Amino acid sequence: MQNSTMRMSERDKRRDESEDPVGDLVGQFGRWQATCCVLMSLIRMPSAWVQLSALFLSPVADFHCADNDVNSTGTYLNFRKTNETCFRINGDSCTAWSFDKSTFTETIVTQWNLVCDREYLTAFTQTCVMAGILVGNIVFGVLADRYGRKSPLMWALLLQTVLSLASTFVPWLYVFIGLRFLLAVATGGTMVTSFVLCMETVSGKWRTIASILYQVPFGIGVGVMALVSYYYRDWRDYNFIITLLCGLYIFFWWFIPESPRWLLAVGKTEEAIKVLLQAADTNNRSESDKKAILAMKIKYQSREFDRKKTPATTLFTHKSLRGITFCVLTIWFLSGLCFFGLNQYQGRLGGSLFVNVALSGLLGGVPGPLASLLIVQKFGRKRTIVLSLACAGIAAILIAIVPVGVYTNDWPRRLLLVVSVTGMSISYPAVYLYSGELFPTVVRNVGIGSASMMARIGAMLSPIFLWTVKWGDWIPILLLGVFILLSAFIVVPLPETKDRYLPDTIQEMEKDILMRKEEEQMNNSYTAVPATGKI
């Protein structure tokens, strides 16, 4: 009994040491947090415009070899055969092409004749964009952990606008591709930094709500992109309007704060106190809370020196972080691979491109995070991810089992694919939230940046699975299903983070791990009572 009391006393002491200064002194959620979270989530919209830009910059269009035109009217002949699209009638290579411009008046395909032996440049451009997102995630993750969240974020937003504008007017293809790569680097920086800043301003149950709802504007951004493209059918006009919308984010400098958690974690206590006092005023906190904020300088003074520098390599060298890092990076890699793989497996939809894209964003990008929010709050992060991934994986495997062409319109396979994509849509926001809570503040940004980088690598590799369809229609979807289930199993050994404080340092994370073990031992000791009732 005495040992149990001592353990409880030590556990309470550790909780006091790792108390949450943001939540305790300025409130878990108020007008200050709401403003920051809304602004950070809106930054997800440009990330949709950049990552999915190929939908409207380089859409598929019919074309034929203009050298074979014999009619003086120049009427579009709608030829799709190889010998009438890439070669002249005499067998020589074609030197000029005529495009169907009934939907788009100009695209990068028609601008620079990206067809036939130059067709690969369209895919190469999109690959460069995904590679840029990957580089931006990791580079700005490191910068944000060293120089704070706000400054790198604002530099990334400024570069995003400038590079997007430059790519609108550039007359050379290879310069355009280079600018799109750099644009994606900046966009990757905004993605990882804005999410971490959003998560570090809220506390308690609101951390779950804000972090998941942060994903919703991505789907809205897809809808906006489709709307802009519908009215502006020339790719330069479309890109210019998107650039103007990106430029509005530069004004965020006057409305977003630096992360007080980061300031405290690296020993910048005086700056953290200024931010927290502004937050307390905005949230109408009491005078006692403001005095407590001013008293933080003495409390955190002894912790400043140890917190100033934590190298990114700590993710892989520290024994308590190594296992978590491996699991998180693997989960993100498989999530990116399987999510984009499933979407590509759906094939091309008929009908209007604008309607299809808008519906996929508004109906696919919005309900998923909302459902994830409800499930995460009830069952926790870990169980939500495991169950949603299990459903997605099983549904994908069943698609490979159900025979093709037996049922009308293959409705069982289509239904199973919807279930699988929905499961992935539910798990993805939860994985985002869960990963940020597993890493301590001093390495959180570089941890999320590295994880997002792995997701980009997975997304870049996802087309490889479509190539296996030549050996059997069931092979790519079976492989994706197996990988989805594998990612669910990897989550199992990780700890639950629901209702836990965000650790600032690695030492606090280790204390929390030890506290969990002691709680489990105490719970086991309470239940392990002999049948006779005697101890």
Side-chain angles (χ1 to χ4, degrees):
M1 185 68 176
Q2 184 177 2
N3 292 336
S4 175
T5 303
M6 291 177 62
R7 286 197 299 267
M8 291 178 66
S9 177
E10 181 65 20
R11 183 180 63 193
D12 293 339
K13 179 181 178 181
R14 287 176 183 150
R15 279 178 176 161
D16 290 339
E17 290 177 352
S18 61
E19 65 181 356
D20 180 12
V22 177
D24 295 341
L25 300 179
V26 303
Q28 293 185 350
F29 193 82
R31 193 154 55 94
W32 179 74
Q33 288 95 336
T35 301
C36 183
C37 289
V38 169
L39 293 178
M40 292 303 97
S41 63
L42 290 176
I43 293 176
R44 286 290 286 159
M45 295 177 69
S47 67
W49 302 337
V50 174
Q51 292 184 89
L52 303 179
S53 59
L55 290 171
F56 298 113
L57 292 182
S58 55
V60 177
D62 288 335
F63 67 97
H64 68 268
C65 181
D67 295 338
N68 294 331
D69 286 351
V70 293
N71 55 337
S72 58
T73 61
T75 303
Y76 174 65
L77 301 178
N78 197 25
F79 289 158
R80 295 294 295 161
K81 295 181 181 180
T82 302
N83 64 333
E84 294 174 341
T85 55
C86 298
F87 297 94
R88 298 178 181 179
I89 297 176
N90 61 8
D92 294 337
S93 297
C94 190
T95 60
W97 292 267
S98 178
F99 295 90
D100 178 8
K101 295 186 177 182
S102 60
T103 302
F104 294 95
T105 57
E106 194 77 274
T107 68
I108 66 170
V109 175
T110 61
Q111 178 87 34
W112 288 300
N113 293 324
L114 303 184
V115 294
C116 298
D117 59 342
R118 290 168 58 85
E119 185 178 2
Y120 74 96
L121 290 172
T122 301
F124 178 72
T125 302
Q126 183 61 17
T127 300
C128 288
V129 169
M130 297 305 296
I133 296 291
L134 183 154
V135 173
N137 286 160
I138 190 65
V139 169
F140 279 88
V142 174
L143 292 176
D145 275 335
R146 175 165 295 186
Y147 300 107
R149 314 320 193 196
K150 181 177 180 178
S151 294
L153 173 61
M154 294 310 305
W155 275 108
L157 289 172
L158 178 61
L159 288 173
Q160 183 175 254
T161 302
V162 172
L163 293 169
S164 180
L165 183 64
S167 67
T168 301
F169 298 105
V170 65
W172 306 286
L173 173 62
Y174 291 104
V175 177
F176 171 81
I177 295 175
L179 289 172
R180 298 301 292 185
F181 170 79
L182 295 175
L183 168 62
V185 171
T187 301
T190 67
M191 291 166 59
V192 63
T193 311
S194 61
F195 172 75
V196 172
L197 182 55
C198 174
M199 190 172 63
E200 289 182 345
T201 56
V202 296
S203 305
K205 67 176 183 179
W206 293 101
R207 194 174 70 216
T208 303
I209 297 173
S211 299
I212 293 181
L213 292 183
Y214 164 88
Q215 309 291 342
V216 172
F218 183 90
I220 299 175
V222 175
V224 171
M225 181 173 65
L227 180 64
V228 173
S229 182
Y230 178 79
Y231 286 103
Y232 297 91
R233 305 297 180 93
D234 187 301
W235 76 270
R236 294 188 187 274
D237 295 336
Y238 159 79
N239 206 54
F240 181 71
I241 298 300
I242 291 296
T243 300
L244 293 180
L245 295 177
C246 290
L248 298 176
Y249 289 88
I250 299 176
F251 295 99
F252 279 20
W253 173 265
W254 289 276
F255 300 100
I256 62 174
E258 180 56 270
S259 168
R261 295 184 193 277
W262 178 83
L263 291 171
L264 291 173
V266 298
K268 297 185 177 183
T269 310
E270 292 186 359
E271 295 180 35
I273 290 174
K274 292 180 181 179
V275 174
L276 290 173
L277 286 174
Q278 293 175 352
D281 286 334
T282 304
N283 289 349
N284 296 320
R285 302 295 291 184
S286 64
E287 290 298 324
S288 60
D289 287 334
K290 296 178 182 178
K291 292 179 180 179
I293 293 174
L294 292 172
M296 290 174 61
K297 183 174 182 179
I298 299 175
K299 178 178 179 180
Y300 280 84
Q301 190 171 11
S302 61
R303 304 161 78 175
E304 291 182 3
F305 180 79
D306 293 335
R307 287 185 169 192
K308 284 188 177 180
K309 288 186 179 180
T310 303
T313 54
T314 306
L315 288 172
F316 306 96
T317 58
H318 197 282
K319 62 179 181 179
S320 297
L321 276 173
R322 193 182 301 120
I324 292 176
T325 301
F326 171 78
C327 291
V328 169
L329 295 187
T330 305
I331 293 167
W332 278 67
F333 171 79
L334 293 175
S335 295
L337 173 69
C338 298
F339 181 80
F340 286 97
L342 285 174
N343 280 277
Q344 292 178 35
Y345 188 78
Q346 295 181 75
R348 298 181 180 181
L349 297 177
S352 171
L353 173 64
F354 309 103
V355 174
N356 291 338
V357 172
L359 291 179
S360 68
L362 298 177
L363 298 183
V366 176
L370 295 177
S372 180
L373 173 62
L374 297 176
I375 300 173
V376 160
Q377 297 228 77
K378 184 174 180 62
F379 298 104
R381 287 78 159 129
K382 180 177 175 179
R383 191 177 300 178
T384 298
I385 296 171
V386 171
L387 293 177
S388 59
L389 287 176
C391 291
I394 293 172
I397 292 175
L398 289 176
I399 294 174
I401 298 175
V402 175
V404 180
V406 175
Y407 302 93
T408 304
N409 295 324
D410 280 334
W411 68 264
R413 291 165 57 85
R414 293 177 181 272
L415 179 60
L416 288 170
L417 187 59
V418 170
V419 172
S420 189
V421 172
T422 301
M424 292 297 297
S425 299
I426 292 174
S427 70
Y428 206 84
V431 168
Y432 224 116
L433 169 65
Y434 189 46
S435 302
E437 293 177 336
L438 286 171
F439 292 117
T441 301
V442 290
V443 292
R444 182 172 299 121
N445 225 54
V446 70
I448 294 295
S450 301
S452 186
M453 178 188 70
M454 295 303 296
R456 301 304 156 206
I457 294 176
M460 293 171 65
L461 294 178
S462 60
I464 295 177
F465 288 87
L466 296 182
W467 296 344
T468 61
V469 74
K470 62 183 179 181
W471 296 304
D473 180 70
W474 54 275
I475 293 179
I477 196 66
L478 177 64
L479 291 174
L480 291 173
V482 170
F483 283 129
I484 294 172
L485 289 180
L486 176 61
S487 62
F489 282 113
I490 294 175
V491 178
V492 173
L494 295 174
E496 176 59 70
T497 58
K498 183 175 182 288
D499 298 328
R500 310 292 295 201
Y501 285 130
L502 283 177
D504 285 335
T505 64
I506 298 175
Q507 291 75 20
E508 288 182 5
M509 183 192 72
E510 291 177 326
K511 289 180 179 180
D512 187 66
I513 293 174
L514 181 59
M515 189 189 307
R516 293 171 187 269
K517 293 180 179 179
E518 292 180 352
E519 289 175 349
E520 291 177 0
Q521 292 176 357
M522 292 178 64
N523 292 334
N524 293 334
S525 66
Y526 292 148
T527 56
V529 179
T532 59
K534 296 180 181 181
I535 300 178

